[in-house]
Amino acid sequence: MLRVFIADDSLGFGTLASAWLEAHEDIEVVAAVRSAEEAIAGLADARPDVVILDRLLPQPEHSEAVLAYVREHLPDAGILLISGMPDEELAGVARSTGAEGHVSKAANAEALADAVRRVATAASERG
């Protein structure tokens, strides 16, 4: 079972993503939060395999703080960056931040679940 933590300031996306992912037998959403502060406060107890992280939470420096926290305190967790920005641009941001993957907020349920699985695999291979 993959444990997923969602950090996105959009209530609508977080709720939708949680419902989509929970429909899969191999994925459990352990938390969905709307700010960097909530993410940093909850990540250690949640112990996720994958963190779905909004690129702008609501500013880039907020998501960068969460990413740094995950790398320091949860080194085995994978990071999946999400954003409404064009996919090519998001791919470059993901590479530059060291995230294991990226997906557009326009992705459908299957694409999101597949991205979570790919990130979990990449993180386990990295470790």
Side-chain angles (χ1 to χ4, degrees):
M1 178 76 70
L2 295 175
R3 296 173 55 82
V4 177
F5 189 103
I6 302 172
D8 187 297
D9 61 337
S10 167
L11 177 60
F13 181 82
T15 302
L16 183 60
S18 292
W20 281 353
L21 293 172
E22 287 283 344
H24 295 268
E25 292 181 1
D26 62 330
I27 298 173
E28 174 188 11
V29 176
V30 294
V33 300
R34 295 183 56 202
S35 71
E37 294 80 17
E38 289 175 307
I40 290 169
L43 276 162
D45 288 339
R47 308 294 306 165
D49 299 303
V50 175
V51 177
I52 297 177
L53 179 60
D54 185 2
R55 174 65 189 120
L56 304 173
L57 191 61
Q59 300 298 321
E61 59 270 17
H62 298 152
S63 58
E64 290 163 8
V66 173
L67 197 140
Y69 180 89
V70 170
R71 289 296 180 236
E72 182 176 343
H73 299 281
L74 301 165
D76 295 334
I79 302 284
L80 176 62
L81 279 185
I82 56 167
S83 179
M85 70 175 57
D87 199 48
E88 314 77 48
E89 190 177 336
L90 184 56
V93 171
R95 279 191 301 276
S96 71
T97 62
E100 284 75 22
H102 67 280
V103 70
S104 168
K105 285 187 176 183
N108 65 26
E110 289 306 312
L112 180 60
D114 289 345
V116 164
R117 292 182 189 106
R118 280 193 310 273
V119 165
T121 298
S124 69
E125 291 172 353
R126 180 192 74 229

